[in-house]
Amino acid sequence: MSHVNIGKVYAAPYKAMLEFSAQAAAAGVDAGLSPLLVELVKIRASQLNGCAFCLRMHAADAVTAGETADRLAVLAGWWESQYFSAEEQAALQIAERVTLLSDHGRLADRGVDVDGVLTEKQIAAVTWLTVVINSWNRIAVSSHYPVAP
């Protein structure tokens, strides 16, 4: 695949993505999701998708919002740690399920009771946020967004 920045070639879909992203962010606010939880969802999906551009961006955003190096270091194995709240664990479980939608065989049962922890609005908002970050991951990776020190 060639190195075409799809957002520059066709700006209208890119602008629609920005609006889609803003609407999902508004749903997260309406559902009462913390800014840190939102960033964790974005980082976890980006880890699974191998999107270096989004990983760098959202890790920096998380740190700005008060996230710690310890929690970021163990995020890829969140279920093996005691760093994350029940709400964060449920959101991370949703992020993994939506991101690995076609590959449930890779997704281990994390033992998280999403419905017992999050409200219907929170589940919907986390799902929309995950759909959006998966879309951004695909845009960044397929457009070969540069990621250098």
Side-chain angles (χ1 to χ4, degrees):
M1 191 155 143
S2 61
H3 297 249
V4 174
N5 185 323
I6 63 173
K8 288 185 178 177
V9 174
Y10 286 105
Y14 187 87
K15 289 178 185 175
M17 270 302 303
L18 291 172
E19 178 59 25
F20 180 32
S21 188
Q23 291 293 326
V29 170
D30 181 67
L33 301 177
S34 77
L36 283 181
L37 180 147
V38 169
E39 293 305 323
L40 291 174
V41 165
K42 292 176 182 180
I43 294 167
R44 184 63 186 131
S46 298
Q47 287 174 334
L48 294 169
N49 289 323
C51 183
F53 185 86
C54 293
L55 280 167
R56 183 179 61 182
M57 175 192 304
H58 294 293
D61 290 348
V63 168
T64 299
E67 190 54 87
T68 66
D70 275 353
R71 282 172 35 110
L72 288 174
V74 299
L75 180 57
W78 59 268
W79 62 93
E80 290 288 336
S81 79
Q82 291 73 51
Y83 278 92
F84 303 98
S85 70
E87 183 179 74
E88 290 167 334
Q89 290 177 28
L92 291 167
Q93 180 68 68
I94 292 169
E96 289 185 356
R97 285 180 182 159
V98 172
T99 301
L100 299 174
L101 190 62
S102 67
D103 197 5
H104 287 291
R106 279 181 47 202
L107 185 58
D109 179 9
R110 308 285 191 221
V112 176
D113 178 20
V114 171
D115 294 326
V117 174
L118 298 177
T119 66
E120 188 174 74
K121 276 187 161 187
Q122 290 171 323
I123 292 168
V126 169
T127 302
W128 278 117
L129 289 162
T130 303
V131 168
V132 167
I133 193 60
N134 273 278
S135 297
W136 283 123
N137 291 163
R138 282 149 179 78
I139 292 166
V141 170
S142 65
S143 295
H144 300 280
Y145 283 12
V147 183

